[in-house]
Amino acid sequence: MAEHKNRVALPGSERSARRGSRVVGAPDPNEQIKISVRVRPRQTLQNLASANELTATPPHQRKYMSREEFAAKYGANPEDLAKIEAFAHQQNLTVIEASQARRTVVVSGTIAALSAAFGVYLANYEHPDGAFRGRTGPIYIPEDLTGIVQGVFGFDNRPQARPHFRQHKRHPAPPPTAYTPLQVAQLYNFPAGLDGTGECIGILEFGGGYTTTDLDTYFQQLGMSTPSITAVSVDGVTNQPAPGQDSPDTEVMLDIEVSGAVAPGANIVVYFSNFTEQGWVDAITTAVHDSVHKPSVLSISWGFAEGQLIWSAQAIQAVNEAFQAAAAMGVTICCAAGDDGSRDQVDDGLAHCDFPASSAFVLACGGTTLQSSGTSITSETVWNDGPNGGATGGGISDSIDLPTWQANANVPPSVNPGGRIGRGVPDVAGNADPATGYQILADGQQGTVGGTSAVAPLWAGLIARINQKLGTPVGFLNPILYSQLANANALNDITTGSNDITGQIGGYSAGPGWDACTGVGSPNGTAIGNALAGASAAAPGH
């Protein structure tokens, strides 16, 4: 490892060994890898905190920035990018890309050269989830780059994402109630006469892929044409279907089929990336700043529990800043809250929230069990099938503070020691129980699938319809959601159930108003659209 002479530790870059992993050797020093270096914005993003886009200002009164305007004002300073490029050349590294909008310089080189340039030691690890290349401790940068570099991603490729879907597998059990997405949209009173025309739904995927044949068959079965679907490669990852048990293809197809069914007029763009910290940062910044496809809503059905053992501080900062940029540009982010109840698949005896659903700049989507008769809802409760069947994620964030727009939601103290009151998750909910799941087609197989993975694209499709109705993007919904929509009979309040699946950790229970299982409730889509439009501001569909 290189000496740290004239080097300083990069704040927030510290990583710890992943629990349950062990070192099994060293990577090939001659292996070529790519590193993403993220730099500071031209102006501090704190100036955005009081902007209309982040307050309860109605959508038609907000002044969203174009992607070009945002890049010019809050993107990277070209001089900063030039300094990173100069450093890379001094270290015999190759500059692959320099993006002012994404504030990112991508460099490549051998593991030996990159490790020396950034003062890190890499090792190969084994873990029950799979082998990975990892590091511990901080990353080191030259003193003259202090304050310029905010994050360095790509050395550590430990798995950083898991899909939040659940397949119906109860044996023995009665057959599930399998809804089509159209039936769920009807039960939730999605606004009629709208199909998302003129909108773009971006979907982030960290594995698997889709086949056009399956999609054509699926939408033909629903009696509709296949929506426009485009795949975008991030960090060299492409649309790669991989059939098999619990294949991520199921996640990809679920996301496309649910959002495409409820908003068939929208363009759907699928961003494929690695399920690593670098993959997350690069995928989100690519999608948010995509000036070609210009998504107006993003659906993210992947996540991982909060915590330094999984997410580094620099990654959380980069992801949150990208979401904040999205809000300024009128992009709504819908994130699945997780499928493992209040523990979020971490067996340390504590409750955990899922990130990025716990970000203060996203619409976190929890899960319910939805029962119906005809076109009417007869019962809706918190989805909780126990430790083997899954349950909605939700809780109190350990790392994200209580947002101002959630101050009056009566967010309770965390069930963890100390009783912290932080960001409450989720914000909204929707049908997620595999026993009342969604009919989908993946890898040629029909199936019934649930999980909060289905709720994020469902809400994304609803937002696309409402954007079309308004003639302007909804954008960051949360301030309006808590201050106006929750009190306008625009949501179905879920008051029964809990997300404690172990009986040991302690979870959260549903009740009147906001709760850490289903947020402020499931949607009454037409009422939400009407409330957002307002009597005098209503715009005709286009």
Side-chain angles (χ1 to χ4, degrees):
M1 184 170 66
E3 294 183 3
H4 302 155
K5 186 177 181 181
N6 298 323
R7 301 291 178 93
V8 295
L10 176 62
S13 65
E14 297 81 5
R15 299 224 72 173
S16 302
R18 186 178 181 191
R19 185 181 289 109
S21 65
R22 66 185 187 92
V23 175
V24 293
D28 179 359
N30 296 314
E31 179 184 351
Q32 291 274 335
I33 61 174
K34 294 180 181 179
I35 300 298
S36 299
V37 181
R38 185 165 167 86
V39 305
R40 65 188 175 188
R42 187 190 291 259
Q43 292 188 39
T44 175
L45 296 181
Q46 290 179 344
N47 295 339
L48 287 173
S50 60
N52 285 340
E53 297 80 8
L54 299 178
T55 68
T57 303
H60 63 277
Q61 294 180 9
R62 291 176 170 177
K63 303 296 183 183
Y64 297 121
M65 301 177 72
S66 70
R67 285 171 169 82
E68 292 74 20
E69 289 171 338
F70 189 91
K73 189 171 183 178
Y74 294 104
N77 189 318
E79 294 180 0
D80 287 347
L81 298 178
K83 290 179 180 178
I84 304 300
E85 293 184 56
F87 169 68
H89 292 311
Q90 292 169 4
Q91 301 295 318
N92 296 316
L93 305 174
T94 301
V95 176
I96 304 296
E97 176 191 356
S99 170
Q100 182 178 348
R102 294 178 54 226
R103 294 164 35 207
T104 299
V105 179
V106 180
V107 300
S108 68
T110 64
I111 283 180
L114 282 163
S115 296
F118 290 95
V120 302
Y121 172 78
L122 296 176
N124 289 331
Y125 291 80
E126 279 188 353
H127 187 274
D129 290 345
F132 64 92
R133 182 184 68 240
R135 65 175 179 84
T136 57
I139 288 171
Y140 292 87
I141 59 173
E143 286 182 338
D144 61 353
L145 294 181
T146 301
I148 295 177
V149 176
Q150 289 191 337
V152 178
F153 308 98
F155 283 112
D156 193 307
N157 66 1
R158 70 184 73 181
Q160 197 81 7
R162 57 172 177 260
H164 292 316
F165 72 89
R166 290 274 182 159
Q167 294 178 303
H168 181 78
K169 297 179 180 179
R170 295 181 189 172
H171 300 289
T177 300
Y179 296 109
T180 68
L182 297 177
Q183 290 171 324
V184 175
Q186 186 177 33
L187 290 170
Y188 285 141
N189 195 26
F190 277 27
L194 301 167
D195 63 1
T197 294
E199 302 303 316
C200 176
I201 298 174
I203 299 174
L204 268 61
E205 303 292 358
F206 299 92
Y210 63 84
T211 60
T212 302
T213 302
D214 276 353
L215 291 173
D216 288 343
T217 300
Y218 181 80
F219 287 105
Q220 184 178 19
Q221 291 172 346
L222 292 180
M224 59 176 60
S225 300
T226 305
S228 169
I229 301 167
T230 304
V232 173
S233 172
V234 178
D235 294 342
V237 180
T238 58
N239 174 27
Q240 295 180 314
Q245 183 72 17
D246 293 326
S247 166
D249 293 356
T250 302
E251 178 61 70
V252 178
M253 298 298 278
L254 175 69
D255 292 341
I256 296 174
E257 289 169 357
V258 170
S259 59
V262 299
N267 293 322
I268 296 177
V269 179
V270 188
Y271 300 86
F272 288 97
S273 188
N274 289 305
F275 59 116
T276 63
E277 196 170 69
Q278 179 184 31
W280 269 103
V281 174
D282 289 349
I284 289 171
T285 55
T286 295
V288 167
H289 296 286
D290 186 346
S291 59
V292 175
H293 302 101
K294 300 180 179 179
S296 54
V297 55
L298 294 181
S299 176
I300 304 175
S301 293
W302 303 66
F304 228 107
E306 291 180 331
Q308 288 289 333
L309 292 178
I310 300 170
W311 293 95
S312 69
Q314 63 174 1
I316 291 176
Q317 177 185 4
V319 170
N320 276 328
E321 286 184 352
F323 289 154
Q324 191 173 6
M329 294 183 287
V331 181
T332 310
I333 313 287
C334 302
C335 288
D339 296 348
D340 297 280
S342 58
R343 72 182 181 97
D344 203 31
Q345 253 188 29
V346 180
D347 295 317
D348 60 359
L350 300 174
H352 295 274
C353 283
D354 209 73
F355 186 82
S358 63
S359 170
F361 300 103
V362 308
L363 185 73
C365 302
T368 69
T369 298
L370 182 69
Q371 303 286 354
S372 67
S373 176
T375 59
S376 300
I377 297 173
T378 57
S379 169
E380 192 166 17
T381 58
V382 175
W383 165 45
N384 188 339
D385 287 336
N388 296 322
T392 183
I396 311 303
S397 173
D398 287 327
S399 58
I400 308 296
D401 291 335
L402 183 72
T404 55
W405 41 262
Q406 213 174 31
N408 296 321
N410 296 316
V411 175
S414 169
V415 296
N416 291 333
R420 167 184 162 85
I421 299 180
R423 155 77 157 124
V425 178
D427 301 300
V428 293
N431 181 44
D433 189 337
T436 60
Y438 299 73
Q439 298 175 17
I440 73 159
L441 177 66
D443 298 326
Q445 300 295 314
Q446 300 278 356
T448 303
V449 178
T452 55
S453 275
V455 187
L458 182 74
W459 271 89
L462 172 60
I463 297 297
R465 283 203 200 187
I466 294 175
N467 283 352
Q468 177 190 6
K469 173 185 175 69
L470 298 180
T472 189
V474 168
F476 186 44
L477 181 61
N478 297 30
I480 306 173
L481 175 72
Y482 284 85
S483 64
Q484 299 171 33
L485 300 184
N487 300 317
N489 295 320
L491 295 111
N492 309 308
D493 194 8
I494 315 302
T495 59
T496 304
S498 96
N499 64 358
D500 182 0
I501 62 175
T502 66
Q504 299 172 343
I505 294 174
Y508 300 88
S509 296
W514 182 90
D515 57 66
C517 298
T518 58
V520 293
S522 62
N524 180 332
T526 296
I528 292 173
N530 290 341
L532 289 173
S536 61
H542 62 277

mmCIF file of all heavy atoms in Angstrom, residues 194-212:
data_model
loop_
_atom_site.group_PDB
_atom_site.id
_atom_site.type_symbol
_atom_site.label_atom_id
_atom_site.label_comp_id
_atom_site.label_asym_id
_atom_site.label_seq_id
_atom_site.Cartn_x
_atom_site.Cartn_y
_atom_site.Cartn_z
ATOM 1 N N LEU A 194 -56.445 8.767 -18.598
ATOM 2 C CA LEU A 194 -55.039 9.171 -18.604
ATOM 3 C C LEU A 194 -54.171 7.924 -18.719
ATOM 4 O O LEU A 194 -54.494 6.879 -18.161
ATOM 5 C CB LEU A 194 -54.682 9.928 -17.319
ATOM 6 C CG LEU A 194 -55.492 11.202 -17.029
ATOM 7 C CD1 LEU A 194 -55.251 11.652 -15.594
ATOM 8 C CD2 LEU A 194 -55.085 12.306 -18.006
ATOM 9 N N ASP A 195 -53.056 8.037 -19.439
ATOM 10 C CA ASP A 195 -52.176 6.878 -19.601
ATOM 11 C C ASP A 195 -50.692 7.219 -19.482
ATOM 12 O O ASP A 195 -49.833 6.412 -19.791
ATOM 13 C CB ASP A 195 -52.435 6.197 -20.953
ATOM 14 C CG ASP A 195 -52.111 7.100 -22.152
ATOM 15 O OD1 ASP A 195 -51.673 8.257 -21.935
ATOM 16 O OD2 ASP A 195 -52.298 6.644 -23.300
ATOM 17 N N GLY A 196 -50.384 8.436 -19.010
ATOM 18 C CA GLY A 196 -48.984 8.825 -18.853
ATOM 19 C C GLY A 196 -48.336 9.357 -20.111
ATOM 20 O O GLY A 196 -47.107 9.540 -20.144
ATOM 21 N N THR A 197 -49.127 9.619 -21.151
ATOM 22 C CA THR A 197 -48.568 10.145 -22.395
ATOM 23 C C THR A 197 -47.771 11.427 -22.140
ATOM 24 O O THR A 197 -48.219 12.306 -21.405
ATOM 25 C CB THR A 197 -49.690 10.431 -23.407
ATOM 26 O OG1 THR A 197 -50.299 9.192 -23.784
ATOM 27 C CG2 THR A 197 -49.145 11.119 -24.655
ATOM 28 N N GLY A 198 -46.596 11.499 -22.732
ATOM 29 C CA GLY A 198 -45.728 12.659 -22.566
ATOM 30 C C GLY A 198 -44.775 12.555 -21.396
ATOM 31 O O GLY A 198 -43.892 13.404 -21.233
ATOM 32 N N GLU A 199 -44.927 11.492 -20.582
ATOM 33 C CA GLU A 199 -44.068 11.301 -19.415
ATOM 34 C C GLU A 199 -43.032 10.209 -19.683
ATOM 35 O O GLU A 199 -43.174 9.402 -20.604
ATOM 36 C CB GLU A 199 -44.906 10.911 -18.195
ATOM 37 C CG GLU A 199 -45.977 11.920 -17.835
ATOM 38 C CD GLU A 199 -45.429 13.314 -17.567
ATOM 39 O OE1 GLU A 199 -44.403 13.421 -16.860
ATOM 40 O OE2 GLU A 199 -45.998 14.287 -18.076
ATOM 41 N N CYS A 200 -41.995 10.185 -18.858
ATOM 42 C CA CYS A 200 -40.975 9.138 -18.918
ATOM 43 C C CYS A 200 -40.782 8.582 -17.516
ATOM 44 O O CYS A 200 -40.526 9.339 -16.581
ATOM 45 C CB CYS A 200 -39.650 9.682 -19.460
ATOM 46 S SG CYS A 200 -38.294 8.465 -19.458
ATOM 47 N N ILE A 201 -40.941 7.273 -17.383
ATOM 48 C CA ILE A 201 -40.711 6.583 -16.116
ATOM 49 C C ILE A 201 -39.349 5.899 -16.188
ATOM 50 O O ILE A 201 -39.126 5.033 -17.028
ATOM 51 C CB ILE A 201 -41.800 5.537 -15.843
ATOM 52 C CG1 ILE A 201 -43.176 6.202 -15.731
ATOM 53 C CG2 ILE A 201 -41.495 4.762 -14.564
ATOM 54 C CD1 ILE A 201 -44.326 5.202 -15.605
ATOM 55 N N GLY A 202 -38.451 6.303 -15.319
ATOM 56 C CA GLY A 202 -37.153 5.651 -15.231
ATOM 57 C C GLY A 202 -37.190 4.559 -14.181
ATOM 58 O O GLY A 202 -37.771 4.744 -13.112
ATOM 59 N N ILE A 203 -36.606 3.405 -14.478
ATOM 60 C CA ILE A 203 -36.576 2.279 -13.546
ATOM 61 C C ILE A 203 -35.126 1.872 -13.334
ATOM 62 O O ILE A 203 -34.391 1.647 -14.308
ATOM 63 C CB ILE A 203 -37.383 1.083 -14.094
ATOM 64 C CG1 ILE A 203 -38.853 1.475 -14.304
ATOM 65 C CG2 ILE A 203 -37.284 -0.109 -13.160
ATOM 66 C CD1 ILE A 203 -39.682 0.397 -14.982
ATOM 67 N N LEU A 204 -34.690 1.779 -12.083
ATOM 68 C CA LEU A 204 -33.322 1.351 -11.775
ATOM 69 C C LEU A 204 -33.299 -0.144 -11.491
ATOM 70 O O LEU A 204 -34.098 -0.639 -10.698
ATOM 71 C CB LEU A 204 -32.768 2.116 -10.574
ATOM 72 C CG LEU A 204 -31.986 3.398 -10.896
ATOM 73 C CD1 LEU A 204 -32.886 4.396 -11.628
ATOM 74 C CD2 LEU A 204 -31.418 4.027 -9.632
ATOM 75 N N GLU A 205 -32.381 -0.859 -12.142
ATOM 76 C CA GLU A 205 -32.232 -2.300 -11.934
ATOM 77 C C GLU A 205 -30.760 -2.634 -11.712
ATOM 78 O O GLU A 205 -29.888 -2.076 -12.370
ATOM 79 C CB GLU A 205 -32.780 -3.087 -13.126
ATOM 80 C CG GLU A 205 -34.239 -2.806 -13.478
ATOM 81 C CD GLU A 205 -35.228 -3.302 -12.439
ATOM 82 O OE1 GLU A 205 -34.806 -3.916 -11.439
ATOM 83 O OE2 GLU A 205 -36.450 -3.077 -12.633
ATOM 84 N N PHE A 206 -30.525 -3.586 -10.812
ATOM 85 C CA PHE A 206 -29.154 -3.956 -10.455
ATOM 86 C C PHE A 206 -28.914 -5.444 -10.682
ATOM 87 O O PHE A 206 -28.212 -6.102 -9.919
ATOM 88 C CB PHE A 206 -28.882 -3.564 -9.004
ATOM 89 C CG PHE A 206 -29.004 -2.083 -8.765
ATOM 90 C CD1 PHE A 206 -30.201 -1.524 -8.362
ATOM 91 C CD2 PHE A 206 -27.925 -1.241 -8.981
ATOM 92 C CE1 PHE A 206 -30.331 -0.158 -8.163
ATOM 93 C CE2 PHE A 206 -28.037 0.129 -8.781
ATOM 94 C CZ PHE A 206 -29.244 0.668 -8.371
ATOM 95 N N GLY A 207 -29.479 -5.943 -11.754
ATOM 96 C CA GLY A 207 -29.310 -7.345 -12.109
ATOM 97 C C GLY A 207 -30.446 -7.798 -12.989
ATOM 98 O O GLY A 207 -31.510 -7.178 -13.037
ATOM 99 N N GLY A 208 -30.230 -8.882 -13.704
ATOM 100 C CA GLY A 208 -31.269 -9.453 -14.528
ATOM 101 C C GLY A 208 -31.560 -8.656 -15.781
ATOM 102 O O GLY A 208 -30.754 -7.848 -16.245
ATOM 103 N N GLY A 209 -32.736 -8.908 -16.343
ATOM 104 C CA GLY A 209 -33.095 -8.234 -17.566
ATOM 105 C C GLY A 209 -34.503 -8.594 -17.994
ATOM 106 O O GLY A 209 -35.243 -9.257 -17.274
ATOM 107 N N TYR A 210 -34.867 -8.135 -19.192
ATOM 108 C CA TYR A 210 -36.196 -8.401 -19.732
ATOM 109 C C TYR A 210 -36.075 -8.907 -21.163
ATOM 110 O O TYR A 210 -35.063 -8.686 -21.835
ATOM 111 C CB TYR A 210 -37.059 -7.138 -19.699
ATOM 112 C CG TYR A 210 -36.556 -5.991 -20.558
ATOM 113 C CD1 TYR A 210 -36.851 -5.919 -21.920
ATOM 114 C CD2 TYR A 210 -35.795 -4.958 -20.010
ATOM 115 C CE1 TYR A 210 -36.406 -4.865 -22.711
ATOM 116 C CE2 TYR A 210 -35.337 -3.901 -20.775
ATOM 117 C CZ TYR A 210 -35.646 -3.857 -22.131
ATOM 118 O OH TYR A 210 -35.196 -2.813 -22.906
ATOM 119 N N THR A 211 -37.117 -9.609 -21.603
ATOM 120 C CA THR A 211 -37.184 -10.055 -22.985
ATOM 121 C C THR A 211 -38.400 -9.414 -23.640
ATOM 122 O O THR A 211 -39.482 -9.353 -23.048
ATOM 123 C CB THR A 211 -37.300 -11.583 -23.096
ATOM 124 O OG1 THR A 211 -38.494 -12.017 -22.432
ATOM 125 C CG2 THR A 211 -36.098 -12.270 -22.468
ATOM 126 N N THR A 212 -38.215 -8.938 -24.855
ATOM 127 C CA THR A 212 -39.306 -8.298 -25.580
ATOM 128 C C THR A 212 -40.442 -9.267 -25.828
ATOM 129 O O THR A 212 -41.627 -8.892 -25.777
ATOM 130 C CB THR A 212 -38.779 -7.737 -26.916
ATOM 131 O OG1 THR A 212 -37.717 -6.810 -26.651
ATOM 132 C CG2 THR A 212 -39.885 -7.017 -27.674
#
